[in-house]
């Protein structure tokens, strides 16, 4: 082979190599999910109905089916210019997420009563679960408010059967909304706060005087204190916090530790 | 003839050099995740994926027993580093390394495009956001927590923020969307300083 031919060959190989590297770098950034499930026309109609209730005239730009690892289920996603709408396989609304918010001309001056009226009306318009009640309404930042509607079990709210929504009262605008619909534990509360504190202190190896708070709520079991635990169900629990920011969930019906957490402080 | 071929060869070499320098010129990012948190591995991995989606290249990570010196070395870098995520413990106006040594606003310098300090109360004041010079510009922002955050809630927020919403909307909207995915009232007090329309995209 002549020198000239060698040079041309080397140049050619170099160009091919570089092109391959660039193409690989671009395509390897995203891993497309191989999915045979599709967003049906009925799902699209549900999302168009939701958009109408949001006073949006958006049309559907694209659809996806994605697996949500934390919810352990497929989500049927409808993308529009301004919203991402998620449905489950039964066409039930799972979430509404705004891609952009309209500018608020003046600093939001909505008071709590105004905010309550606006979000309760929007909640009804969207046909969200009628048996959830407004349990929390607070200002989130200068413009956005947070409202939570939760199912009430004899005074204990279940955050896993709830609707969590961030909205701008000044614009009557939903910024993001997620519907949670996990079952609950209907066991009666038979464990006293003091007994639960003793169990938590024992788990943490501390004196019960180092416990700073204890409250009743519904929590999902986890493997925070016991790696072999595979239970992820919702339990009515005493949530016990220690002075060093450790949190222990104690089942309120059998006084066992079902999981825990920690504050990043 | 030889001269012609040599000229073409030289041209190709120059082209390759220009191309490779362009590829390496994009802004880079670094992820620090402290193994004091039980969710450090997932949070760090999610952040690397999210920052890569935003175009930061390379996006490197340090996960485990992260030190103050290694974070300060990155914070004070004079290269192409424009974004940073730290998953750790901390409080108002400071965040800690694995060993509990703090970094506060007096130790921070540089002009950053996107910084997210994932520790309790990191955004309860403007100190860290201002120190990173992420406020007052149209293409910069700071994300942190305006209150206490638990390890589990942080991990859940980060899963949705980095893997689902980032890159599809402004950082502000992506953060609010992810915040609704954390069940419970006031459980995800995410706070943004800086531009509310910035997508976090690498320069």
């Amino acid at each position: 082979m002549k020198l000239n031919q060698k040079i041309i060959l080397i140049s050619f190989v170099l160009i091919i190599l570089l092109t391959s590297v660039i193409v690989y770098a671009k395509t390897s950034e995203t891993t497309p999910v191989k999915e045979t499930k599709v967003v049906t026309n009925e799902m699209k109609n549900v999302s168009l109905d939701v958009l109408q209730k949001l006073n949006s005239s958006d049309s559907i730009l694209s659809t996806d089916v994605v697996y949500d690892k934390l919810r352990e289920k497929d989500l049927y996603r409808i993308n529009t210019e301004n919203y991402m709408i998620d449905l489950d396989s039964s066409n039930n609304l799972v979430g509404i997420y705004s891609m952009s918010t309209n500018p608020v001309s003046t600093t939001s001056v909505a008071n709590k009563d105004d905010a309550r009226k606006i979000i309760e009306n929007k909640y009804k318009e969207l046909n969200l679960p009628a048996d959830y009640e407004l349990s929390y309404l607070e200002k989130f930042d200068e413009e956005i408010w947070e409202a939570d509607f939760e199912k009430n079990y004899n005074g204990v709210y279940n955050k896993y059967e709830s609707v969590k929504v961030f909205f701008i009262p000044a614009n009557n605008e939903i910024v993001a909304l997620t519907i949670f619909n996990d079952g609950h534990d209907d066991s009666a509360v038979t464990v006293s706060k003091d007994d639960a504190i003793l169990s938590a202190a024992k788990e943490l190896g501390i004196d019960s005087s180092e416990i700073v708070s204890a409250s009743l709520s519904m929590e999902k079991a986890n493997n925070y204190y016991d790696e072999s635990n595979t239970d992820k169900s919702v339990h009515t629990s005493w949530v016990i916090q220690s002075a060093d920011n450790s949190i222990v969930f104690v089942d309120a019906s059998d006084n066992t530790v079902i999981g825990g957490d920690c504050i990043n402080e | 003839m030889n001269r012609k071929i040599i000229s073409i060869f030289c041209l190709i070499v120059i082209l390759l050099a220009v191309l490779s320098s362009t590829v390496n010129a994009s802004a880079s990012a670094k992820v620090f995740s402290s193994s004091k948190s039980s969710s450090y591995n997932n949070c760090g991995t999610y952040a690397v994926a999210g920052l890569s989606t935003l175009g930061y290249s390379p996006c490197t990570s340090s996960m485990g027993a992260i030190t103050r010196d290694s974070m300060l070395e990155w914070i004070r870098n004079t290269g192409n580093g424009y974004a940073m995520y730290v998953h750790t413990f901390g409080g108002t106006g400071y965040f800690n390394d694995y060993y509990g040594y703090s970094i506060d606003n007096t130790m921070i310098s540089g002009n950053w495009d996107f910084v997210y300090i994932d520790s309790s109360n990191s955004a309860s004041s403007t100190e860290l956001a201002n120190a990173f010079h992420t406020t007052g510009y149209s293409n910069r922002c700071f994300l942190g927590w305006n209150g206490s955050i638990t390890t589990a809630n942080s991990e859940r927020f980060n899963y949705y923020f980095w893997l689902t919403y980032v890159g599809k909307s402004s950082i502000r909207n992506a953060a609010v969307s992810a915040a609704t995915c954390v069940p419970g009232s006031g459980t995800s007090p995410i706070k943004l300083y800086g531009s509310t329309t910035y997508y976090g995209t690498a320069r």
Side-chain angles (χ1 to χ4, degrees):
Chain A
M1 194 182 278
K2 286 180 184 176
L3 181 65
N4 291 350
Q5 287 173 321
K6 275 184 182 173
I7 290 169
I8 290 168
L9 189 67
I10 290 168
S11 306
F12 184 72
V13 169
L14 274 172
I15 289 168
I16 294 291
L17 204 65
L18 185 75
T19 310
S20 311
V21 166
I22 291 170
V23 168
Y24 174 76
K26 289 286 176 197
T27 53
S28 63
E29 285 170 5
T30 53
T31 311
V33 179
K34 284 183 182 174
E35 188 56 73
T36 52
K37 295 161 187 168
V38 292
V39 173
T40 62
N41 284 335
E42 200 178 342
M43 289 171 177
K44 289 177 186 174
N45 288 336
V46 170
S47 67
L48 288 172
D49 185 46
V50 168
L51 286 168
Q52 197 180 15
K53 287 167 182 166
L54 296 172
N55 303 318
S56 168
S57 54
D58 277 10
S59 51
I60 294 169
L61 296 180
S62 64
T63 60
D64 299 298
V65 182
V66 293
Y67 181 70
D68 186 319
K69 194 177 79 176
L70 301 189
R71 291 187 179 100
E72 295 179 326
K73 64 181 180 186
D74 290 320
L75 293 178
Y76 295 77
R77 181 161 293 159
I78 292 98
N79 302 299
T80 74
E81 188 184 346
N82 294 303
Y83 290 98
M84 179 190 283
I85 295 172
D86 286 342
L87 307 176
D88 65 16
S89 57
S90 306
N91 303 343
N92 297 311
L93 182 65
V94 173
I96 301 168
Y97 307 100
S98 167
M99 297 296 105
S100 62
T101 46
N102 294 315
V104 178
S105 53
T106 54
T107 305
S108 171
V109 289
N111 61 34
K112 208 164 187 170
D113 285 339
D114 295 335
R116 179 183 287 111
K117 279 177 197 162
I118 288 165
I119 198 58
E120 284 182 339
N121 283 340
K122 193 58 83 179
Y123 190 89
K124 279 177 195 161
E125 275 179 55
L126 288 165
N127 294 323
L128 294 167
D131 54 343
Y132 295 178
E133 59 185 63
L134 184 63
S135 59
Y136 180 90
L137 178 66
E138 293 294 336
K139 212 166 179 181
F140 183 71
D141 65 18
E142 291 75 16
E143 296 173 351
I144 300 173
W145 287 65
E146 175 184 345
D148 295 299
F149 296 80
E150 298 176 308
K151 196 158 181 181
N152 185 345
Y153 290 96
N154 299 317
V156 182
Y157 286 111
N158 182 10
K159 63 189 169 198
Y160 297 103
E161 286 175 285
S162 72
V163 175
K164 185 168 185 171
V165 55
F166 289 84
F167 66 108
I168 302 176
N171 291 352
N172 192 18
E173 185 176 0
I174 299 287
V175 183
L177 180 152
T178 299
I179 300 166
F180 300 93
N181 191 19
D182 285 334
H184 76 291
D185 165 30
D186 56 5
S187 309
V189 177
T190 55
V191 176
S192 70
K193 183 196 274 191
D194 289 343
D195 285 346
I197 287 174
L198 286 174
S199 295
K202 188 179 170 192
E203 177 68 38
L204 295 171
I206 59 173
D207 189 86
S208 57
S209 62
E210 291 178 59
I211 299 298
V212 295
S213 70
S215 58
L216 204 54
S217 72
M218 293 205 186
E219 301 295 337
K220 276 191 177 179
N222 62 39
N223 61 359
Y224 193 84
Y225 291 110
D226 176 7
E227 286 190 358
S228 65
N229 181 31
T230 54
D231 181 14
K232 292 178 184 174
S233 63
V234 178
H235 295 237
T236 306
S237 311
W238 286 102
V239 179
I240 315 287
Q241 189 181 327
S242 69
D244 74 346
N245 291 323
S246 295
I247 295 169
V248 182
F249 303 149
V250 178
D251 188 297
S253 63
D254 66 9
N255 206 12
T256 55
V257 172
I258 57 148
D261 203 346
C262 162
I263 296 173
N264 289 359
E265 202 163 78
Chain B
M1 182 66 180
N2 268 351
R3 270 189 187 174
K4 208 172 181 180
I5 288 170
I6 288 167
S7 303
I8 290 169
F9 181 73
C10 288
L11 202 68
I12 288 168
V13 169
I14 290 166
L15 195 69
L16 286 175
V18 169
L19 267 175
S20 53
S21 68
T22 308
V23 167
N24 291 325
S26 63
S28 56
K30 187 143 185 176
V31 166
F32 293 91
S33 196
S34 167
S35 49
K36 279 278 182 198
S37 159
S38 57
S39 63
Y40 80 102
N41 205 13
N42 280 345
C43 289
T45 306
Y46 299 156
V48 169
L51 286 163
S52 301
T53 300
L54 292 173
Y56 291 94
S57 177
C59 178
T60 53
S61 65
S62 173
M63 295 196 257
I66 56 169
T67 64
R68 180 169 66 178
D69 284 348
S70 66
M71 287 191 279
L72 286 176
E73 189 184 347
W74 174 254
I75 288 170
R76 292 167 182 167
N77 85 87
T78 53
N80 272 333
Y82 286 101
M84 181 179 185
Y85 166 77
V86 186
H87 177 77
T88 185
F89 288 20
T92 306
Y94 71 91
F95 55 99
N96 295 341
D97 71 1
Y98 174 84
Y99 301 98
Y101 294 110
S102 300
I103 293 176
D104 64 28
N105 58 319
T106 63
M107 304 171 182
I108 295 164
S109 59
N111 291 294
W112 294 82
D113 288 348
F114 177 34
V115 177
Y116 171 15
I117 305 297
D118 184 9
S119 59
S120 288
N121 292 298
S122 57
S124 291
S125 76
T126 56
E127 288 171 60
L128 290 174
N130 287 341
F132 281 106
H133 295 110
T134 47
T135 53
Y137 299 88
S138 60
N139 285 323
R140 295 184 192 180
C141 71
F142 176 93
L143 208 55
W145 296 107
N146 183 24
S148 294
I149 185 73
T150 67
T151 299
N153 287 340
S154 162
E155 183 178 8
R156 191 174 178 93
F157 173 89
N158 283 310
Y159 174 80
Y160 291 104
F161 175 72
W162 290 116
L163 302 186
T164 301
Y165 303 115
V166 102
K168 296 188 176 79
S169 64
S170 66
I171 291 293
R172 183 212 200 189
N173 276 58
V176 174
S177 293
T180 61
C181 298
V182 180
S185 303
T187 49
S188 46
I190 198 72
K191 173 92 177 173
L192 179 134
Y193 293 107
S195 170
T196 56
T197 55
Y198 175 46
Y199 270 55
T201 314
R203 58 171 78 193

